[in-house]
Coordinates of all heavy atoms in Angstrom, one line a residue:
E90 N -170.5 31.4 -130.1 CA -170.4 30.9 -128.7 C -169.0 30.9 -128.2 O -168.7 31.3 -127.1 CB -171.0 29.5 -128.6 CG -171.0 28.9 -127.2 CD -171.9 29.7 -126.3 OE1 -172.9 30.2 -126.7 OE2 -171.6 29.7 -125.1
F91 N -168.0 30.5 -129.0 CA -166.6 30.5 -128.6 C -166.1 31.9 -128.3 O -165.4 32.2 -127.3 CB -165.7 29.9 -129.6 CG -164.3 29.9 -129.3 CD1 -163.7 29.1 -128.3 CD2 -163.4 30.8 -130.0 CE1 -162.4 29.2 -128.0 CE2 -162.1 30.9 -129.6 CZ -161.6 30.0 -128.6
R92 N -166.6 32.9 -129.1 CA -166.2 34.3 -128.9 C -166.7 34.8 -127.6 O -166.1 35.5 -126.9 CB -166.7 35.2 -130.0 CG -165.9 35.1 -131.3 CD -166.5 36.1 -132.2 NE -165.7 36.2 -133.4 CZ -166.0 36.9 -134.5 NH1 -167.2 37.5 -134.5 NH2 -165.2 36.9 -135.5
R93 N -168.0 34.4 -127.3 CA -168.6 34.9 -126.0 C -167.8 34.3 -124.8 O -167.6 35.0 -123.9 CB -170.0 34.4 -126.0 CG -170.8 35.0 -124.8 CD -172.2 34.6 -124.8 NE -172.9 34.8 -126.1 CZ -174.1 34.4 -126.3 NH1 -174.8 33.9 -125.4 NH2 -174.6 34.5 -127.5
V94 N -167.5 33.0 -124.9 CA -166.7 32.4 -123.8 C -165.3 33.1 -123.7 O -164.9 33.4 -122.6 CB -166.6 30.9 -124.0 CG1 -165.6 30.3 -123.0 CG2 -167.9 30.2 -123.9
L95 N -164.7 33.3 -124.8 CA -163.4 34.0 -124.8 C -163.5 35.4 -124.2 O -162.7 35.8 -123.4 CB -162.8 34.0 -126.2 CG -161.4 34.5 -126.4 CD1 -160.4 33.6 -125.6 CD2 -161.0 34.5 -127.8
F96 N -164.5 36.1 -124.6 CA -164.8 37.5 -124.1 C -165.0 37.5 -122.6 O -164.4 38.2 -121.8 CB -165.9 38.2 -124.8 CG -166.2 39.5 -124.3 CD1 -165.4 40.6 -124.6 CD2 -167.3 39.7 -123.5 CE1 -165.7 41.9 -124.1 CE2 -167.6 41.0 -123.0 CZ -166.8 42.1 -123.3
R97 N -165.8 36.6 -122.1 CA -166.1 36.4 -120.7 C -164.9 36.1 -119.9 O -164.6 36.6 -118.9 CB -167.2 35.4 -120.4 CG -168.6 35.8 -120.8 CD -169.6 34.8 -120.4 NE -170.9 35.2 -120.8 CZ -171.9 34.3 -120.9 NH1 -171.8 33.1 -120.6 NH2 -173.1 34.8 -121.3
S98 N -164.0 35.2 -120.5 CA -162.8 34.9 -119.8 C -161.9 36.1 -119.7 O -161.3 36.3 -118.7 CB -162.1 33.8 -120.6 OG -160.9 33.4 -120.1
R99 N -161.8 36.9 -120.8 CA -161.0 38.1 -120.7 C -161.5 39.1 -119.7 O -160.7 39.6 -118.9 CB -160.9 38.7 -122.1 CG -160.0 39.9 -122.2 CD -159.9 40.5 -123.6 NE -159.7 41.9 -123.4 CZ -160.7 42.9 -123.4 NH1 -161.9 42.5 -123.6 NH2 -160.4 44.1 -123.3
V100 N -162.8 39.3 -119.7 CA -163.4 40.2 -118.8 C -163.2 39.7 -117.3 O -162.9 40.5 -116.4 CB -164.9 40.4 -119.1 CG1 -165.6 41.2 -117.9 CG2 -165.1 41.1 -120.4
D101 N -163.4 38.4 -117.1 CA -163.1 37.8 -115.8 C -161.7 38.1 -115.3 O -161.5 38.4 -114.2 CB -163.4 36.3 -115.8 CG -164.9 36.0 -115.8 OD1 -165.7 37.0 -115.6 OD2 -165.3 34.9 -116.1
M102 N -160.8 37.9 -116.2 CA -159.4 38.1 -115.9 C -159.1 39.6 -115.5 O -158.4 39.9 -114.6 CB -158.4 37.7 -117.0 CG -158.3 36.2 -117.1 SD -157.3 35.5 -118.5 CE -156.5 36.8 -119.2
E103 N -159.7 40.5 -116.3 CA -159.5 41.9 -116.1 C -160.2 42.3 -114.7 O -159.6 43.1 -114.0 CB -160.2 42.7 -117.2 CG -159.5 42.6 -118.5 CD -158.2 43.5 -118.5 OE1 -158.0 44.4 -117.7 OE2 -157.3 43.1 -119.4
L104 N -161.3 41.8 -114.5 CA -162.0 42.1 -113.2 C -161.2 41.5 -112.0 O -161.1 42.2 -111.0 CB -163.4 41.5 -113.2 CG -164.4 42.2 -114.1 CD1 -165.7 41.5 -114.1 CD2 -164.6 43.7 -113.6
K105 N -160.6 40.4 -112.2 CA -159.8 39.8 -111.1 C -158.6 40.7 -110.8 O -158.2 41.0 -109.7 CB -159.4 38.4 -111.5 CG -158.7 37.6 -110.4 CD -158.5 36.2 -110.9 CE -158.0 35.3 -109.8 NZ -157.8 33.9 -110.2
D106 N -158.0 41.2 -111.9 CA -156.8 42.1 -111.8 C -157.2 43.4 -111.1 O -156.5 43.9 -110.2 CB -156.2 42.3 -113.1 CG -155.0 43.2 -113.0 OD1 -154.1 42.9 -112.2 OD2 -154.9 44.2 -113.7
L107 N -158.4 43.9 -111.5 CA -158.9 45.2 -110.9 C -159.2 45.0 -109.4 O -158.9 45.9 -108.6 CB -160.1 45.7 -111.7 CG -159.8 46.3 -113.0 CD1 -161.1 46.5 -113.7 CD2 -159.0 47.5 -113.0
N108 N -159.7 43.9 -109.1 CA -160.0 43.6 -107.7 C -158.7 43.5 -106.9 O -158.7 44.1 -105.8 CB -160.8 42.2 -107.6 CG -161.2 41.9 -106.2 OD1 -161.7 42.8 -105.5 ND2 -161.1 40.7 -105.8
Y109 N -157.7 42.9 -107.4 CA -156.4 42.9 -106.8 C -155.9 44.3 -106.6 O -155.4 44.6 -105.5 CB -155.4 42.0 -107.6 CG -154.0 42.1 -107.1 CD1 -153.6 41.4 -106.0 CD2 -153.1 42.9 -107.7 CE1 -152.3 41.5 -105.5 CE2 -151.8 43.0 -107.3 CZ -151.4 42.3 -106.2 OH -150.1 42.4 -105.7
Q110 N -156.0 45.1 -107.6 CA -155.4 46.5 -107.6 C -156.2 47.3 -106.5 O -155.6 48.1 -105.8 CB -155.5 47.2 -108.9 CG -154.7 46.5 -110.0 CD -153.2 46.7 -109.7 OE1 -152.8 47.6 -109.1 NE2 -152.4 45.7 -110.2
V111 N -157.5 47.1 -106.5 CA -158.3 47.9 -105.5 C -157.9 47.5 -104.1 O -157.7 48.3 -103.2 CB -159.8 47.7 -105.7 CG1 -160.6 48.2 -104.5 CG2 -160.2 48.3 -107.0
R112 N -157.7 46.2 -103.8 CA -157.3 45.7 -102.5 C -155.9 46.3 -102.2 O -155.6 46.7 -101.1 CB -157.3 44.2 -102.4 CG -158.7 43.7 -102.3 CD -158.7 42.2 -102.0 NE -158.4 41.6 -103.3 CZ -157.8 40.4 -103.5 NH1 -157.5 39.7 -102.4 NH2 -157.5 39.9 -104.7
K113 N -155.0 46.3 -103.2 CA -153.6 46.8 -103.0 C -153.6 48.2 -102.6 O -152.9 48.7 -101.7 CB -152.8 46.6 -104.3 CG -151.4 47.0 -104.3 CD -150.8 46.6 -105.6 CE -149.4 47.2 -105.7 NZ -148.8 46.9 -107.0
I114 N -154.5 49.0 -103.3 CA -154.6 50.4 -102.9 C -155.2 50.6 -101.5 O -154.7 51.4 -100.7 CB -155.5 51.2 -104.0 CG1 -154.7 51.3 -105.3 CG2 -155.9 52.6 -103.5 CD1 -155.6 51.7 -106.5
G115 N -156.1 49.8 -101.2 CA -156.7 49.9 -99.8 C -155.7 49.6 -98.8 O -155.6 50.3 -97.7
V116 N -154.9 48.6 -99.0 CA -153.8 48.3 -98.0 C -152.8 49.4 -97.9 O -152.4 49.8 -96.8 CB -153.1 47.0 -98.4 CG1 -151.8 46.8 -97.6 CG2 -154.0 45.8 -98.3
N117 N -152.4 50.0 -99.1 CA -151.5 51.1 -99.0 C -152.1 52.3 -98.3 O -151.4 53.0 -97.6 CB -151.1 51.5 -100.5 CG -150.1 50.6 -101.0 OD1 -149.2 50.1 -100.3 ND2 -150.2 50.2 -102.3
I118 N -153.4 52.6 -98.5 CA -154.0 53.7 -97.8 C -154.0 53.5 -96.3 O -153.7 54.4 -95.6 CB -155.4 53.9 -98.4 CG1 -155.4 54.5 -99.8 CG2 -156.2 54.9 -97.4 CD1 -156.7 54.5 -100.5
N119 N -154.3 52.3 -95.9 CA -154.3 52.0 -94.5 C -152.9 52.1 -93.9 O -152.7 52.6 -92.8 CB -154.8 50.5 -94.2 CG -156.3 50.4 -94.4 OD1 -157.0 51.4 -94.2 ND2 -156.7 49.2 -94.7
Q120 N -151.8 51.7 -94.6 CA -150.5 51.8 -94.2 C -150.1 53.3 -94.1 O -149.4 53.7 -93.1 CB -149.5 51.1 -95.1 CG -149.6 49.6 -95.0 CD -148.8 48.9 -96.1 OE1 -148.4 49.5 -97.1 NE2 -148.6 47.6 -95.9
I121 N -150.5 54.1 -95.1 CA -150.1 55.5 -95.0 C -150.8 56.2 -93.9 O -150.3 57.0 -93.2 CB -150.5 56.1 -96.4 CG1 -149.4 55.6 -97.4 CG2 -150.5 57.7 -96.3 CD1 -149.8 56.0 -98.9
A122 N -152.1 55.9 -93.7 CA -152.8 56.5 -92.6 C -152.2 56.2 -91.3 O -152.0 57.0 -90.4 CB -154.3 56.0 -92.6
H123 N -151.7 54.9 -91.1 CA -151.0 54.5 -89.9 C -149.7 55.3 -89.7 O -149.4 55.8 -88.6 CB -150.7 53.0 -89.9 CG -149.9 52.6 -88.7 ND1 -150.5 52.4 -87.5 CD2 -148.6 52.2 -88.6 CE1 -149.6 52.0 -86.6 NE2 -148.4 51.9 -87.3
R124 N -149.0 55.5 -90.8 CA -147.7 56.2 -90.7 C -148.0 57.7 -90.4 O -147.3 58.3 -89.6 CB -147.0 56.2 -92.1 CG -146.3 54.8 -92.3 CD -145.5 54.9 -93.6 NE -145.2 53.5 -94.0 CZ -145.3 53.1 -95.3 NH1 -145.7 53.9 -96.2 NH2 -145.0 51.9 -95.6
L125 N -149.0 58.3 -91.1 CA -149.2 59.7 -90.8 C -149.7 59.9 -89.4 O -149.4 60.9 -88.7 CB -150.3 60.2 -91.8 CG -149.8 60.3 -93.3 CD1 -150.9 60.7 -94.2 CD2 -148.6 61.3 -93.4
N126 N -150.6 59.0 -88.9 CA -151.1 59.1 -87.5 C -149.9 58.9 -86.5 O -150.0 59.3 -85.4 CB -152.2 58.1 -87.3 CG -153.5 58.5 -88.0 OD1 -153.7 59.6 -88.2 ND2 -154.3 57.5 -88.3
S127 N -148.9 58.2 -86.9 CA -147.7 58.0 -86.0 C -146.6 59.0 -86.3 O -145.5 58.9 -85.7 CB -147.1 56.6 -86.3 OG -148.1 55.6 -86.1
N128 N -146.9 60.0 -87.1 CA -146.0 61.1 -87.5 C -144.7 60.6 -88.1 O -143.6 61.1 -87.9 CB -145.7 61.9 -86.2 CG -146.9 62.7 -85.8 OD1 -147.6 63.2 -86.6 ND2 -147.1 62.8 -84.5
I129 N -144.8 59.5 -88.8 CA -143.6 59.0 -89.5 C -143.8 58.9 -91.0 O -142.8 58.6 -91.8 CB -143.2 57.6 -89.0 CG1 -144.3 56.6 -89.2 CG2 -142.8 57.6 -87.6 CD1 -144.0 55.1 -88.9
G130 N -144.9 59.3 -91.5 CA -145.2 59.3 -93.0 C -144.9 60.7 -93.6 O -144.7 61.7 -92.9
D131 N -144.9 60.8 -94.9 CA -144.7 62.0 -95.6 C -145.6 62.0 -96.9 O -146.2 61.0 -97.2 CB -143.3 62.4 -95.9 CG -142.6 61.4 -96.7 OD1 -143.2 60.8 -97.6 OD2 -141.4 61.2 -96.6
M132 N -145.5 63.1 -97.6 CA -146.3 63.3 -98.8 C -146.0 62.3 -99.9 O -146.8 62.0 -100.7 CB -146.2 64.7 -99.3 CG -147.0 65.7 -98.5 SD -148.7 65.2 -98.4 CE -149.3 65.3 -100.0
R133 N -144.8 61.7 -99.9 CA -144.4 60.7 -100.9 C -145.3 59.5 -100.8 O -145.6 58.9 -101.8 CB -142.9 60.3 -100.8 CG -142.0 61.4 -101.2 CD -140.6 61.0 -101.1 NE -140.4 61.0 -99.6 CZ -139.2 60.6 -99.0 NH1 -138.2 60.4 -99.7 NH2 -139.1 60.6 -97.7
D134 N -145.7 59.2 -99.6 CA -146.6 58.0 -99.4 C -147.9 58.3 -100.1 O -148.5 57.5 -100.8 CB -146.8 57.8 -97.9 CG -145.5 57.3 -97.2 OD1 -144.8 56.6 -97.8 OD2 -145.4 57.6 -96.0
A135 N -148.5 59.5 -99.8 CA -149.8 59.9 -100.4 C -149.6 60.0 -101.9 O -150.6 59.5 -102.7 CB -150.2 61.2 -99.8
E136 N -148.5 60.5 -102.4 CA -148.3 60.6 -103.9 C -148.3 59.2 -104.6 O -148.8 59.0 -105.7 CB -147.1 61.4 -104.2 CG -147.2 62.8 -103.9 CD -145.8 63.6 -103.8 OE1 -144.8 62.9 -104.0 OE2 -145.9 64.8 -103.6
Y137 N -147.7 58.2 -103.9 CA -147.7 56.9 -104.4 C -149.1 56.3 -104.5 O -149.4 55.7 -105.6 CB -146.8 56.0 -103.4 CG -146.8 54.5 -103.8 CD1 -146.2 54.1 -105.0 CD2 -147.4 53.6 -103.0 CE1 -146.2 52.8 -105.4 CE2 -147.4 52.2 -103.4 CZ -146.8 51.9 -104.6 OH -146.8 50.5 -104.9
V138 N -149.9 56.5 -103.5 CA -151.3 56.1 -103.6 C -152.0 56.7 -104.8 O -152.8 56.1 -105.5 CB -152.1 56.3 -102.3 CG1 -153.5 56.0 -102.5 CG2 -151.5 55.4 -101.2
V139 N -151.8 58.0 -105.0 CA -152.4 58.7 -106.1 C -152.0 58.1 -107.4 O -152.9 57.9 -108.3 CB -152.1 60.2 -106.1 CG1 -152.5 60.9 -107.4 CG2 -152.7 60.9 -104.9
E140 N -150.8 57.7 -107.6 CA -150.3 57.1 -108.8 C -151.0 55.7 -109.0 O -151.4 55.4 -110.1 CB -148.8 56.9 -108.8 CG -148.0 58.2 -109.0 CD -148.4 59.0 -110.3 OE1 -148.5 58.3 -111.3 OE2 -148.7 60.2 -110.2
L141 N -151.1 55.0 -107.9 CA -151.8 53.7 -108.0 C -153.2 53.9 -108.5 O -153.7 53.1 -109.3 CB -151.7 52.9 -106.7 CG -150.4 52.4 -106.3 CD1 -150.5 51.8 -104.9 CD2 -149.9 51.3 -107.2
M142 N -153.9 54.9 -107.9 CA -155.3 55.1 -108.3 C -155.4 55.6 -109.7 O -156.3 55.2 -110.4 CB -155.9 56.2 -107.3 CG -156.0 55.6 -105.9 SD -156.6 56.9 -104.8 CE -158.3 56.9 -105.2
K143 N -154.4 56.3 -110.2 CA -154.4 56.7 -111.6 C -154.3 55.5 -112.5 O -155.0 55.3 -113.5 CB -153.3 57.7 -111.9 CG -153.6 59.1 -111.4 CD -152.4 60.0 -111.7 CE -152.6 61.4 -111.2 NZ -151.4 62.2 -111.4
E144 N -153.4 54.6 -112.2 CA -153.3 53.3 -112.9 C -154.6 52.5 -112.9 O -155.0 52.0 -114.0 CB -152.1 52.5 -112.3 CG -150.8 53.0 -112.5 CD -149.7 52.2 -111.9 OE1 -149.9 51.0 -111.6 OE2 -148.6 52.7 -111.6
L145 N -155.2 52.4 -111.8 CA -156.5 51.7 -111.7 C -157.5 52.4 -112.6 O -158.3 51.7 -113.2 CB -156.9 51.7 -110.2 CG -158.3 51.1 -110.0 CD1 -158.2 49.6 -110.4 CD2 -158.6 51.2 -108.5
N146 N -157.6 53.7 -112.6 CA -158.5 54.4 -113.4 C -158.3 54.1 -114.9 O -159.3 53.9 -115.6 CB -158.4 55.9 -113.1 CG -159.7 56.6 -113.2 OD1 -160.8 56.0 -113.2 ND2 -159.6 57.9 -113.4
V147 N -157.1 54.0 -115.3 CA -156.8 53.7 -116.7 C -157.3 52.3 -117.0 O -157.9 52.1 -118.1 CB -155.3 53.8 -117.0 CG1 -154.9 53.2 -118.3 CG2 -154.8 55.3 -116.9
K148 N -157.1 51.4 -116.1 CA -157.6 50.0 -116.3 C -159.1 50.0 -116.4 O -159.7 49.2 -117.2 CB -157.0 49.1 -115.3 CG -155.6 48.8 -115.4 CD -155.1 47.9 -114.4 CE -153.6 47.7 -114.5 NZ -153.0 46.6 -113.7
L149 N -159.8 50.7 -115.5 CA -161.2 50.8 -115.5 C -161.7 51.3 -116.8 O -162.7 50.8 -117.4 CB -161.7 51.6 -114.3 CG -161.7 50.9 -113.0 CD1 -162.0 51.9 -111.9 CD2 -162.7 49.7 -112.9
E150 N -161.1 52.4 -117.3 CA -161.5 53.0 -118.5 C -161.3 52.0 -119.7 O -162.2 52.0 -120.6 CB -160.7 54.3 -118.8 CG -161.1 55.4 -117.9 CD -160.1 56.6 -118.0 OE1 -159.2 56.6 -118.8 OE2 -160.3 57.6 -117.3
K151 N -160.3 51.3 -119.7 CA -160.0 50.3 -120.8 C -161.1 49.2 -120.7 O -161.6 48.8 -121.8 CB -158.6 49.7 -120.6 CG -158.2 48.7 -121.6 CD -156.8 48.2 -121.3 CE -156.5 47.1 -122.3 NZ -155.2 46.5 -122.0
L152 N -161.4 48.8 -119.6 CA -162.4 47.7 -119.4 C -163.8 48.2 -119.8 O -164.5 47.5 -120.5 CB -162.4 47.1 -118.0 CG -163.3 46.0 -117.7 CD1 -162.9 44.8 -118.6 CD2 -163.3 45.6 -116.3
T153 N -164.2 49.4 -119.3 CA -165.6 49.8 -119.6 C -165.7 50.6 -120.8 O -166.8 50.8 -121.3 CB -166.0 50.7 -118.4 OG1 -165.2 51.8 -118.3 CG2 -166.0 49.9 -117.1
G154 N -164.6 51.1 -121.4 CA -164.7 51.9 -122.6 C -165.2 53.3 -122.2 O -165.5 54.1 -123.1
K155 N -165.3 53.7 -120.9 CA -165.7 55.0 -120.5 C -164.6 55.8 -119.9 O -163.8 55.2 -119.1 CB -166.9 54.9 -119.5 CG -168.1 54.2 -120.1 CD -169.2 54.1 -119.1 CE -170.4 53.4 -119.6 NZ -171.4 53.2 -118.6
K156 N -164.5 57.0 -120.1 CA -163.5 57.9 -119.5 C -164.1 58.6 -118.4 O -165.2 59.2 -118.5 CB -162.9 58.8 -120.6 CG -161.7 59.5 -120.2 CD -160.9 60.0 -121.3 CE -159.6 60.4 -120.9 NZ -158.5 60.2 -121.7
E157 N -163.4 58.6 -117.2 CA -163.9 59.3 -116.0 C -163.7 60.8 -116.2 O -162.7 61.2 -116.8 CB -163.1 58.9 -114.8 CG -163.5 57.5 -114.4 CD -164.9 57.3 -113.8 OE1 -165.3 58.2 -113.1 OE2 -165.5 56.3 -114.1
E158 N -164.6 61.6 -115.7 CA -164.4 63.1 -115.8 C -164.1 63.7 -114.5 O -164.3 63.2 -113.5 CB -165.7 63.7 -116.4 CG -166.0 63.2 -117.8 CD -167.2 63.8 -118.4 OE1 -167.5 65.0 -118.0 OE2 -167.8 63.2 -119.3

């Protein structure tokens, strides 16, 4: 029972972190879209979002034990 509670607690913490990361990426995408629509953004902005998404993917793979193809 203790192991189950400990596991659930760990999973809950990981999901909370992933939720934060997804929201962070969403905010960055919106900011980049605004910059690009205002002709003040560049590809570095888009590359930053790609890096954030890669980090998120690694975390998802770690949590689920599945590798995205």
Side-chain angles (χ1 to χ4, degrees):
E90 183 63 32
F91 177 72
R92 281 184 173 170
R93 189 179 313 175
V94 170
L95 188 59
F96 177 75
R97 284 184 184 165
S98 176
R99 184 179 148 264
V100 169
D101 287 344
M102 287 177 10
E103 291 285 338
L104 289 173
K105 191 174 188 176
D106 182 53
L107 287 172
N108 186 40
Y109 171 77
Q110 296 294 329
V111 168
R112 284 186 287 154
K113 183 176 172 182
I114 290 169
V116 167
N117 283 320
I118 289 171
N119 286 336
Q120 290 172 344
I121 289 168
H123 177 73
R124 286 185 197 135
L125 293 174
N126 288 333
S127 302
N128 293 320
I129 59 174
D131 61 32
M132 284 306 295
R133 288 178 293 181
D134 294 325
E136 290 167 356
Y137 175 66
V138 170
V139 170
E140 287 304 312
L141 289 175
M142 293 177 74
K143 286 179 182 177
E144 290 176 23
L145 176 62
N146 212 20
V147 168
K148 290 182 180 187
L149 283 169
E150 289 171 1
K151 181 180 174 186
L152 182 63
T153 63
K155 297 179 182 177
K156 195 161 189 140
E157 291 290 320
E158 295 183 28

